[in-house]
Amino acid sequence: MLSLVIFLPLAAALVLLAVRRIGDRAAVPVWIAVAAVDLALVLVLWARYDGAGLAHETRLRWIPSVGAGYHVGVDGLSLPLLAMSAVLFLCCAVYSLRSTPRPRACAALFLALQTVCLGLFAALDLLLFFVFFDLSIVGMYFVIAGWGHGERARSALQFFLYTFFGSLVLLLGFLGLYLGSAPRTFDIVDLTHDPPLTGSPGVAALVLLAVGVGLAVKTPIVPFHTWLPPAHTDAPAAGSAILAGVLLKMGTYGFARIAMPLLPDAWRRYAWVIIVLGVVSVLYGALVALAQRNLKRLVAYTSVSHMGYIVLALGVAGLAGDAAAHRLAVTGAVTQMVSHGLVTGALFLLCGVLYDRAGSYDLDRFGGLARAAPAFAVLTALAAFASLGLPGLSGFIAEFQIFAGTLGGGAPVPGALALLGVLITAALFLHVLQRTVLGAPGPLTARVTDLTRSERTAVTPLLALSVLIGLAPRWLLDTIEPASTALINALAP
Amino acid sequence: MGMSENPVDLLPELCVLGGVVVALLTGLFVPRGRQWLAVALGAAGAGAGLIAALVAAGRGDGMTFEAFLLDPVTHVTRVTVLGAALVVLALAAGPLRGHRRETEFTVLVLLAALGTILLGASADLLVLVAAYLLASIPAYVLAGFAKDARGTEAALKYYLMGALLGVLMLAGVTVLFGLGRGTSYATLSQNLAHAPPGAVTAGLVALLAGLLFKAGAVPAHHWVPDVTEGAPPVVAAFVTTVPKIGAFAALFRVATDVVPSSAPGPELFAVLAAATMTLGNLAAFAQTNVRRLLAYSTISQAGYLLVPVAVATRTDLAEPALLYYLAAYVVTNLGAFAVVLTTNTDTLTDYRALATRSPALAVSLAVLLLGLIGTPPTAVFVGKLLMFTAAIDAGYTWLAAVALANTVASVFYYLRWLTPVFTRPEDPPPPPRLHRPTILLTYTLATATLALGLLSGLTLLP
């Protein structure tokens, strides 16, 4: 069943490529239908999940001579991310209904990318995880190079080189874990039960460094974030939404799924390093975003900042201190992954609307959009408030738990500093709203017509889910909390 | 290890030899328009040899005629060499159909393949030298097959370098014979341990000259770009792929069976590996001719293949790593050359907007080039994974790091080829002359790299 969820989009992509009779007109509707079916299947998986441990597991031999297998399964950590990814891919499909060049190839590529993303969040084998991790780079490369704008070839190449480097360093780290385990295996579940390298802290530190750098490039954590702004600027709107919404989560998910439970001693020893990197990302991302005039770069830098909260929370979980507070921080981190995926996905799709109408992301050349495009203005305002963490929206639920966990979990100073990041983010989003939505019309305002039906249908569910999580988060937290408890237990000395 | 002198043990080689003789005789007597008959008979010999090799792979290890090893290394060498030779013959079917010397081409390819198998299976230095000559001389002729100026120059360069390094290799064999009082690997491994390490190292270095030449590795790599660009494309596909198989098998045997622990074997191989992958990559950056680009890419791949040779004595993973990487590389590299043959152009800019002209060919090229990078789930990825694991397991983490940096760097030039393929057309070049069977072969090879990666469990079962 889980394998069906993972590989259904890929199968559909192959059919789209192979059957030429499905013309360009039918391609996007087929894409929407497949994404909708896949989302429904994910929800069925979630509904049948009993709330504890791993479920829906499949375990097959793949390369037995090195102990690698096809092992997939879901728990409270992966289910919310699977569902969020399926929602975001469906919304991107709907968004692409109007005016996508070469729709058949585009639909096939996004469907294949969906398989890669879902596969990664379900993978329970290091090698399988790496395969999906690497393929996500290939898929996104083709999205940027094929459907981007501006200097897309250059940005795509830079994206590929930078993140491919990260993924190979990650592979070295995985090989370190493999060679340090006895009996040798790549299986994440087996390695969690019996963490490798417990007897050799020096090697464990090096392996954590390799795994950490590999995941930090993907997340991205300052100072490994420089690939992100150009990739976002030149990517198409749907590509940006997937890149920020799903691909960045691969990094943070990797920390929670692999780095923490497999290297618990090293994680605890270097928790402060991780906390500092998280705080630096929060503040640096927010400050640089404040200085941007290009709306898309601005949203990209707020992503760096938001990923920083997650890293901070996961770092705090490695400190000595109150386990309940740590659990709160980890739950907040996972909630933040879901929330950021929904909200930033919506923000990038809205950026795409501006570029589609006016061919520019320049903040200074818009203004008074509330009058010209009221639906656009309302949704942008909602997304901005969700992103800055206003109560009643998902960002608040996530960040509140992170701060409560950080302050109570033994890191009051980093917690206070990160709170400063929320202030800056609030300021910058209010500034954005002032400059674009309110005020006097800018030179490009006249070109901006309001959202089309497909655009509205694509963005609204993302923000509706954010409101739902903000007002009634219990259903989500009930799924995540057992997984957080398990993670804290695995991390306990 | 069982000793025998049973000719049946050499059935694959005898099949190929039979194919060669029959093809040569048939070619003498049939008219030019029906030379395909001779080609088909030669290919049938190689096919029979391939089947015999697959059957033989199921049997136990042993040695036959006191010089020919029967073990996994030989089995994989046989299967990959014969498989690759058959692919090359199929690739040649388009460009060489009705050529005046169609039969000769087949005979030369099969003889070089036979020499390559002997190179990889030999357990005696004298047989190694004979195999070196059998593998090399037909290849020199093939390089000049087109009889044009560039081909002749390439053939001459290839020949001169091969002759020089072959003499050096013979000198090395003489030195080792003197020091080890024998030429069989078993005798050498016993006696060289007590010989002066300096002299042993000198003899080994001279011996390696010939093998590194066949492998296309630094410092004997200068012929690779010239032959790849100057010789006909199908010959380029052959000489950058097939001789490597036997050379690396031979290098692996030398590293495990001949080099005594007193000589700095692993260190030497490690330095050669690092130099080969780095130089190949650096030179590939600026190429605008896809065949030259592929030539330097094969040099850098030879560097990765030297890693398992360097760690051969230190980890059990070296052997599967080498053999798997070899097979994966052969399939992928032949596929890349098949694309060049299909499109019939060498210029990088001619690949602009290939995706709009032939989407399936563009996707195949993407799979093959990403395969050469080592992206999962292609075959070379599994090979690279085993290679990295073997290097770290043997304590050569620095070599793994160098290989990693080189892999990242290689992305740059492979993507330089791939990016224009998917650009939107403004003034697309005229549709290329596409040869139908060659296209199908390209698709097959691209699919094979994926299948070999996804189903690697089946081939790597211990």
Side-chain angles (χ1 to χ4, degrees), chain A residues 187-203:
Chain A
D187 196 89
I188 294 176
V189 178
D190 293 352
L191 288 170
T192 307
H193 287 313
D194 183 13
L197 300 168
T198 37
S200 42
V203 182

Side-chain angles (χ1 to χ4, degrees), chain A residues 17 20 61-66 101-102 127 130-132 134-135 138 141-142 145-149 152-153 156-157 160-162 164-166 168-172 175-176 178-179 184 186, chain B residues 317 356 359-360 363 366 370 373-377 381-382 385-386 388-389 392-393 397 400-401 404 407-409 411-412 415-416 418-419 422-424 453-458 460-462:
Chain A
L17 283 181
R20 279 169 182 257
R61 284 147 60 92
W62 178 32
I63 315 178
S65 53
V66 293
R102 287 165 295 152
L127 217 49
F130 176 78
V131 168
F132 288 126
D134 222 25
L135 283 177
V138 177
Y141 167 79
F142 281 114
W147 284 266
H149 41 252
R152 59 199 160 88
L157 183 65
F160 198 120
L161 282 174
Y162 207 138
F164 192 70
F165 163 76
L168 284 181
V169 176
L170 182 68
L171 181 64
L172 282 193
L175 293 180
Y178 166 72
L179 292 171
R184 287 182 179 180
F186 280 107
Chain B
L317 280 165
T356 45
V363 170
L370 291 172
I373 294 173
T375 315
F381 162 68
V382 181
L385 174 78
L386 292 168
F388 280 132
T389 318
I392 298 175
D393 195 30
T397 312
L404 179 135
T407 303
V408 175
V411 170
F412 183 75
L415 287 190
R416 264 189 70 210
L418 197 54
T419 311
F422 291 94
T423 48
R424 291 161 208 166
L454 289 171
L455 306 176
S456 46
L458 301 180
L460 279 176
L461 283 175

Side-chain angles (χ1 to χ4, degrees), chain B residues 304-317:
Chain B
Y304 305 133
L305 280 162
L306 276 171
V307 174
V309 175
V311 299
T313 48
R314 302 191 175 196
T315 165
D316 294 338
L317 280 165

